[in-house]
Amino acid sequence: MPLHIETPLIQSLPLGLAVGQDVWLKMEALQPPGSFKIRGVGAACEHHARAGKRRFVSSSGGNAGMAVAYAGRQLSIPVSVYVPETTTERAKALIRQEGADVIVHGAAWDEANAKALASLDEDSAFIHPFDDPLLWTGHATMIDEAVKAGLTFDAVVLSVGGGGLFAGVAEGLQRNGLGDVPILAVETEGTASLAASIEARQLVALQAVNGIATSLGARQVSQHAFELSQTRPVESVVVSDAEAAQACIRFLDDHRVLVEPACGAALAVAYAHANRLARFKRILMIVCGGATTTVERLQAWQEF
Ligand SMILES: *Cc1c(COP(=O)(O)O)cnc(C)c1O
């Protein structure tokens, strides 16, 4: 039994109306730890458990850390999550709720990550949030499910942080004979590291990331994600924070599911950039989810 669940695949009339085409949603927001991340993280954790590892380590105060904590609880393996002082109380509480140890260290993520790496011994496995082939193979199962359900589609829309979801979906499409289906890779203005690399035609790191889509905040995508952008059909889309926040609110009204701005970014392509989808007939949107936001914070962001 995998640690993720098979998520609903539903047609969205409201998003379809906004786009003027058929839009289908893969509802990864309904995974038990709140995002798609459990697919890859779960697969990686099961792999390490089989290899005899007895402790999992993460340095993500976001959905990756939550997924590792959830996987550890399911597998009865202790989890340590190292986070910087900037991590919200809510995120720490969600990780602790899964029974994981939260260790707060350093002013920024680099320091927390260094501490996490220094804590590793031969019994422990470090679970990277996006740059690991084990993760991509696990994420790819969401495409297996869509294909198995009999859905045909001519484009996939998803959000990009470090590019793990993107790499996993690309792998899923490839292994189902759909390697020529374009992926629309969506980022916010403050986190557009894939867009910057595509434009520079080489892997580049942003000076800084900013804005409300914190789960997209990798300064640099993985080498593999960049290579995919050069070797398969990929279109970069960049949306504003306001569009991402608005999309979350509209999606909450339309589908009664609360998602992070990181996910709202992808939804904003339908709500605010429908022209980018005009040439497709049936679009699969990955509703990647995210557990770190609240209705109250969404309302505050809406005032932008
Ligand atoms: C991690 C995450 C992303 C981005 O995934 P990457 O694999 O880093 O590109 C997008 N949305 C949510 C909700 C996430 O948790």
Side-chain angles (χ1 to χ4, degrees), residues 4 10-11 18-19 34 50 70-71 97-98 102 126 134 138 177 182 213 251 266 289 302:
H4 64 264
I10 57 173
Q11 187 181 14
V19 174
R50 279 195 300 273
Y70 176 84
Q97 185 173 290
E98 292 285 4
V102 176
F126 181 72
L134 289 170
F251 192 73
Q302 204 188 11

Side-chain angles (χ1 to χ4, degrees), residues 34-37 60 62-64 129-131 135-136 139 158-168 186 213-218 221 225 259-264 286-292:
S35 81
F36 75 94
K37 286 228 170 55
S60 159
N63 296 304
F130 60 81
D131 192 3
L135 292 178
W136 309 330
H139 294 335
L158 52 75
S159 308
V160 174
L165 173 61
F166 167 56
V186 191
T214 48
S215 294
L216 304 184
V221 298
V259 298
E260 287 181 18
C263 178
I286 307 298
V287 184
C288 50
T292 72

